[in-house]
Amino acid sequence: MPVLALLSALLVVGSEQLVQWRFGGAGLVGLLLLTVGVKAESPAVSSAGAVLLAVLLAGPAL
């Protein structure tokens, strides 16, 4: 069980670092909003995070 928790923590930290490196602070805020919204079961907050991440991903194409 501790190995699973350690791997999960490494995955979360790695994904946060990847998003921050690729999209900067706005990407980190979007990921944070998405995560908090899912854990709190708040569709408005998770949707705001998802929209922010989608805008950041589509930015170069626009």
Coordinates of all heavy atoms in Angstrom, one line a residue:
M1 N 0.8 -1.2 0.0 CA 0.0 0.0 0.0 C 0.9 1.3 0.0 O 0.5 2.2 -0.7 CB -0.9 0.0 1.2 CG -2.1 0.9 1.1 SD -3.1 0.5 -0.4 CE -4.7 1.0 0.2
P2 N 1.9 1.4 0.8 CA 2.8 2.6 0.8 C 3.4 2.8 -0.6 O 3.6 3.9 -1.0 CB 3.8 2.3 1.8 CG 3.2 1.3 2.8 CD 2.3 0.5 1.9
V3 N 3.7 1.7 -1.3 CA 4.3 1.8 -2.6 C 3.3 2.5 -3.6 O 3.7 3.3 -4.4 CB 4.8 0.4 -3.1 CG1 5.2 0.5 -4.6 CG2 5.8 -0.1 -2.3
L4 N 2.0 2.1 -3.5 CA 1.0 2.7 -4.3 C 0.8 4.1 -4.1 O 0.7 4.9 -5.0 CB -0.3 1.9 -4.1 CG -1.5 2.3 -5.0 CD1 -1.1 2.1 -6.5 CD2 -2.7 1.6 -4.7
A5 N 0.9 4.5 -2.8 CA 0.7 5.9 -2.4 C 2.0 6.7 -2.9 O 1.8 7.9 -3.4 CB 0.6 6.1 -0.9
L6 N 3.1 6.1 -2.8 CA 4.3 6.8 -3.3 C 4.3 7.0 -4.8 O 4.6 8.1 -5.4 CB 5.6 6.0 -2.9 CG 6.9 6.6 -3.4 CD1 7.1 7.9 -2.7 CD2 8.0 5.6 -3.0
L7 N 3.9 6.0 -5.6 CA 3.8 6.1 -7.0 C 2.7 7.1 -7.4 O 2.9 7.9 -8.4 CB 3.5 4.7 -7.6 CG 4.6 3.7 -7.6 CD1 4.1 2.4 -8.1 CD2 5.8 4.2 -8.4
S8 N 1.6 7.1 -6.7 CA 0.6 8.1 -7.0 C 1.1 9.5 -6.7 O 0.8 10.4 -7.6 CB -0.6 7.8 -6.1 OG -1.6 8.8 -6.2
A9 N 1.8 9.7 -5.7 CA 2.3 11.1 -5.4 C 3.4 11.5 -6.4 O 3.4 12.6 -6.9 CB 3.0 11.1 -4.0
L10 N 4.2 10.6 -6.9 CA 5.2 10.9 -7.9 C 4.5 11.2 -9.2 O 4.9 12.1 -9.9 CB 6.1 9.7 -8.1 CG 7.2 9.5 -7.0 CD1 7.9 8.2 -7.3 CD2 8.1 10.7 -6.9
L11 N 3.4 10.5 -9.5 CA 2.6 10.8 -10.8 C 2.0 12.2 -10.7 O 2.1 13.0 -11.7 CB 1.6 9.7 -11.0 CG 0.7 9.9 -12.2 CD1 1.5 9.7 -13.5 CD2 -0.5 9.0 -12.2
V12 N 1.4 12.5 -9.6 CA 0.8 13.9 -9.4 C 1.8 15.0 -9.5 O 1.6 16.0 -10.2 CB 0.0 13.9 -8.1 CG1 -0.4 15.4 -7.7 CG2 -1.2 13.0 -8.1
V13 N 2.9 14.8 -8.8 CA 4.0 15.9 -8.8 C 4.6 16.0 -10.2 O 4.8 17.1 -10.7 CB 5.1 15.6 -7.8 CG1 6.3 16.5 -8.0 CG2 4.5 15.7 -6.4
G14 N 4.8 14.8 -10.9 CA 5.3 14.9 -12.2 C 4.4 15.5 -13.2 O 4.8 16.3 -14.1
S15 N 3.1 15.3 -13.1 CA 2.1 15.9 -14.0 C 2.0 17.4 -13.8 O 1.9 18.2 -14.7 CB 0.8 15.2 -13.9 OG 0.2 15.4 -12.7
E16 N 2.1 17.8 -12.5 CA 2.0 19.2 -12.2 C 3.3 19.9 -12.7 O 3.2 21.0 -13.3 CB 2.0 19.4 -10.7 CG 0.6 19.1 -10.1 CD 0.6 19.3 -8.6 OE1 1.7 19.5 -8.0 OE2 -0.4 19.2 -8.0
Q17 N 4.4 19.3 -12.6 CA 5.6 20.0 -13.2 C 5.6 20.0 -14.7 O 6.0 21.0 -15.3 CB 6.9 19.2 -12.7 CG 7.2 19.3 -11.2 CD 7.5 20.7 -10.8 OE1 8.2 21.4 -11.5 NE2 7.0 21.1 -9.7
L18 N 5.1 19.0 -15.3 CA 4.9 19.0 -16.8 C 4.0 20.1 -17.2 O 4.3 20.9 -18.2 CB 4.4 17.7 -17.3 CG 4.2 17.6 -18.8 CD1 5.6 17.6 -19.5 CD2 3.5 16.3 -19.1
V19 N 2.9 20.3 -16.6 CA 1.9 21.3 -16.9 C 2.5 22.7 -16.7 O 2.4 23.6 -17.5 CB 0.6 21.1 -16.2 CG1 -0.3 22.4 -16.3 CG2 -0.2 19.9 -16.7
Q20 N 3.2 22.9 -15.6 CA 3.8 24.2 -15.3 C 4.9 24.5 -16.3 O 5.0 25.6 -16.7 CB 4.3 24.2 -13.9 CG 4.8 25.6 -13.5 CD 5.2 25.7 -12.0 OE1 5.3 24.7 -11.3 NE2 5.4 26.9 -11.6
W21 N 5.7 23.5 -16.7 CA 6.8 23.8 -17.6 C 6.2 24.1 -19.0 O 6.7 25.0 -19.7 CB 7.6 22.5 -17.7 CG 8.6 22.5 -18.8 CD1 9.7 23.3 -18.9 CD2 8.5 21.8 -20.0 NE1 10.4 23.1 -20.1 CE2 9.6 22.1 -20.8 CE3 7.6 20.9 -20.5 CZ2 9.9 21.6 -22.1 CZ3 7.9 20.3 -21.8 CH2 9.0 20.7 -22.5
R22 N 5.1 23.4 -19.4 CA 4.6 23.6 -20.7 C 3.7 24.8 -20.8 O 3.7 25.5 -21.8 CB 3.8 22.3 -21.1 CG 3.1 22.4 -22.4 CD 4.0 21.9 -23.5 NE 3.2 21.6 -24.7 CZ 3.2 22.4 -25.8 NH1 3.9 23.5 -25.8 NH2 2.5 22.1 -26.8
F23 N 2.9 25.1 -19.8 CA 1.9 26.2 -19.9 C 2.0 27.3 -18.9 O 1.2 28.2 -18.8 CB 0.5 25.6 -19.8 CG 0.2 24.6 -20.9 CD1 0.0 23.2 -20.5 CD2 0.1 24.9 -22.2 CE1 -0.2 22.3 -21.5 CE2 -0.2 24.0 -23.2 CZ -0.3 22.7 -22.8
G24 N 3.0 27.2 -18.0 CA 3.3 28.2 -17.0 C 2.3 28.2 -15.9 O 1.7 27.2 -15.6
G25 N 2.2 29.4 -15.2 CA 1.3 29.5 -14.1 C -0.1 29.3 -14.4 O -0.9 28.7 -13.5
A26 N -0.6 29.7 -15.5 CA -2.0 29.6 -15.9 C -2.4 28.1 -16.0 O -3.5 27.7 -15.6 CB -2.3 30.3 -17.2
G27 N -1.5 27.3 -16.5 CA -1.7 25.9 -16.6 C -1.8 25.2 -15.3 O -2.6 24.3 -15.0
L28 N -1.0 25.7 -14.3 CA -1.0 25.1 -13.0 C -2.3 25.5 -12.3 O -2.9 24.7 -11.6 CB 0.2 25.6 -12.2 CG 0.5 25.0 -10.9 CD1 0.7 23.5 -11.0 CD2 1.7 25.6 -10.2
V29 N -2.8 26.7 -12.5 CA -4.1 27.2 -11.9 C -5.2 26.3 -12.5 O -6.1 25.9 -11.8 CB -4.3 28.7 -12.2 CG1 -5.7 29.1 -11.8 CG2 -3.3 29.5 -11.3
G30 N -5.2 26.1 -13.8 CA -6.2 25.3 -14.5 C -6.2 23.9 -13.9 O -7.3 23.3 -13.7
L31 N -5.0 23.3 -13.8 CA -5.0 21.9 -13.2 C -5.4 21.9 -11.8 O -6.2 21.0 -11.4 CB -3.5 21.4 -13.3 CG -3.3 20.0 -12.9 CD1 -4.1 19.0 -13.8 CD2 -1.8 19.6 -12.9
L32 N -5.1 22.9 -11.0 CA -5.6 23.0 -9.6 C -7.1 23.1 -9.6 O -7.7 22.4 -8.8 CB -4.9 24.2 -8.9 CG -5.3 24.4 -7.5 CD1 -4.7 23.3 -6.6 CD2 -4.7 25.7 -7.0
L33 N -7.7 24.0 -10.4 CA -9.1 24.1 -10.4 C -9.8 22.8 -10.8 O -10.8 22.4 -10.2 CB -9.5 25.2 -11.4 CG -9.3 26.7 -10.9 CD1 -9.6 27.6 -12.1 CD2 -10.2 27.0 -9.8
L34 N -9.3 22.2 -11.8 CA -9.8 20.9 -12.2 C -9.8 19.8 -11.1 O -10.8 19.2 -10.8 CB -9.1 20.4 -13.5 CG -9.7 19.1 -14.1 CD1 -11.1 19.3 -14.6 CD2 -8.8 18.7 -15.2
T35 N -8.7 19.7 -10.4 CA -8.5 18.8 -9.4 C -9.4 19.1 -8.2 O -10.1 18.2 -7.7 CB -7.0 18.7 -8.9 OG1 -6.2 18.5 -10.0 CG2 -6.8 17.6 -7.9
V36 N -9.4 20.3 -7.8 CA -10.3 20.7 -6.6 C -11.7 20.5 -7.0 O -12.5 20.0 -6.1 CB -10.0 22.2 -6.2 CG1 -11.0 22.7 -5.3 CG2 -8.6 22.2 -5.6
G37 N -12.1 20.8 -8.2 CA -13.5 20.7 -8.6 C -14.0 19.2 -8.6 O -15.1 18.9 -8.2
V38 N -13.1 18.3 -9.1 CA -13.4 16.9 -9.1 C -13.5 16.4 -7.7 O -14.5 15.6 -7.3 CB -12.4 16.1 -9.9 CG1 -12.6 14.6 -9.7 CG2 -12.6 16.5 -11.4
K39 N -12.6 16.7 -6.8 CA -12.6 16.2 -5.4 C -13.8 16.8 -4.6 O -14.3 16.1 -3.8 CB -11.3 16.5 -4.7 CG -10.1 15.7 -5.2 CD -9.0 15.8 -4.3 CE -7.8 15.0 -4.9 NZ -7.8 13.7 -4.3
A40 N -14.1 18.0 -4.9 CA -15.3 18.7 -4.2 C -16.6 18.4 -4.8 O -17.6 18.8 -4.3 CB -15.0 20.2 -4.1
E41 N -16.6 17.7 -6.0 CA -17.8 17.4 -6.7 C -18.5 18.7 -7.1 O -19.7 18.8 -7.0 CB -18.7 16.4 -6.0 CG -18.0 15.1 -5.8 CD -18.9 14.1 -5.0 OE1 -20.1 14.4 -4.8 OE2 -18.4 13.0 -4.7
S42 N -17.7 19.7 -7.6 CA -18.3 20.9 -8.0 C -18.1 21.1 -9.5 O -17.0 21.3 -10.0 CB -17.6 22.1 -7.3 OG -18.0 23.3 -7.8
P43 N -19.2 20.9 -10.3 CA -19.1 21.0 -11.7 C -18.6 22.4 -12.2 O -17.9 22.4 -13.2 CB -20.5 20.7 -12.2 CG -21.3 20.3 -11.1 CD -20.5 20.6 -9.8
A44 N -19.0 23.4 -11.5 CA -18.6 24.8 -12.0 C -17.1 24.9 -11.9 O -16.4 25.5 -12.8 CB -19.3 25.8 -11.2
V45 N -16.5 24.5 -10.8 CA -15.0 24.7 -10.6 C -14.2 23.8 -11.5 O -13.3 24.2 -12.2 CB -14.6 24.5 -9.1 CG1 -13.1 24.5 -8.9 CG2 -15.3 25.4 -8.2
S46 N -14.7 22.5 -11.6 CA -14.0 21.6 -12.5 C -14.1 22.0 -14.0 O -13.2 21.9 -14.8 CB -14.4 20.2 -12.3 OG -15.8 20.1 -12.6
S47 N -15.3 22.6 -14.3 CA -15.5 23.1 -15.7 C -14.6 24.3 -16.0 O -14.0 24.4 -17.1 CB -16.9 23.4 -16.0 OG -17.7 22.3 -15.9
A48 N -14.4 25.1 -15.0 CA -13.6 26.3 -15.2 C -12.1 25.9 -15.4 O -11.4 26.4 -16.3 CB -13.7 27.2 -14.0
G49 N -11.7 24.9 -14.7 CA -10.3 24.4 -14.9 C -10.1 23.7 -16.2 O -9.1 23.9 -16.9
A50 N -11.1 22.9 -16.6 CA -11.1 22.2 -17.9 C -11.1 23.2 -19.1 O -10.3 23.0 -20.0 CB -12.2 21.3 -18.0
V51 N -11.9 24.3 -19.0 CA -11.9 25.3 -20.0 C -10.6 26.0 -20.1 O -10.1 26.3 -21.2 CB -13.1 26.3 -19.8 CG1 -13.0 27.5 -20.7 CG2 -14.4 25.5 -20.0
L52 N -10.0 26.4 -19.0 CA -8.7 27.1 -18.9 C -7.6 26.2 -19.6 O -6.9 26.7 -20.4 CB -8.3 27.4 -17.5 CG -7.0 28.2 -17.3 CD1 -7.0 29.5 -18.1 CD2 -6.8 28.5 -15.9
L53 N -7.6 24.9 -19.3 CA -6.6 24.0 -19.9 C -6.9 23.9 -21.4 O -5.9 23.8 -22.2 CB -6.6 22.7 -19.2 CG -6.0 22.6 -17.8 CD1 -6.2 21.3 -17.1 CD2 -4.6 23.0 -17.8
A54 N -8.1 23.8 -21.8 CA -8.5 23.7 -23.2 C -8.0 24.9 -24.0 O -7.5 24.8 -25.1 CB -10.0 23.4 -23.4
V55 N -8.2 26.1 -23.4 CA -7.8 27.3 -24.0 C -6.3 27.4 -24.2 O -5.8 27.8 -25.2 CB -8.4 28.5 -23.3 CG1 -7.7 29.8 -23.7 CG2 -9.9 28.6 -23.4
L56 N -5.6 26.9 -23.2 CA -4.2 26.9 -23.2 C -3.7 25.9 -24.3 O -2.7 26.2 -25.0 CB -3.6 26.6 -21.9 CG -3.7 27.7 -20.8 CD1 -3.2 27.1 -19.4 CD2 -2.8 28.9 -21.2
L57 N -4.3 24.8 -24.4 CA -3.9 23.8 -25.4 C -4.2 24.3 -26.8 O -3.5 24.1 -27.7 CB -4.7 22.5 -25.2 CG -4.1 21.6 -24.0 CD1 -5.1 20.4 -23.8 CD2 -2.7 21.1 -24.4
A58 N -5.4 25.0 -27.0 CA -5.8 25.5 -28.3 C -5.1 26.8 -28.7 O -5.3 27.2 -29.8 CB -7.3 25.6 -28.4
G59 N -4.5 27.4 -27.7 CA -3.9 28.7 -28.0 C -3.0 28.9 -29.2 O -3.2 29.8 -30.0
P60 N -2.1 27.9 -29.4 CA -1.2 28.0 -30.6 C -2.0 27.9 -31.9 O -1.6 28.4 -32.9 CB -0.2 26.9 -30.4 CG -0.2 26.6 -29.0 CD -1.6 26.9 -28.5
A61 N -3.1 27.1 -31.9 CA -3.9 26.9 -33.1 C -4.8 28.0 -33.4 O -5.2 28.2 -34.6 CB -4.7 25.6 -32.9
L62 N -5.0 28.9 -32.5 CA -5.9 30.0 -32.7 C -5.1 31.1 -33.3 O -4.9 32.0 -33.7 CB -6.6 30.5 -31.4 CG -7.5 29.5 -30.8 CD1 -8.0 30.0 -29.4 CD2 -8.7 29.2 -31.7

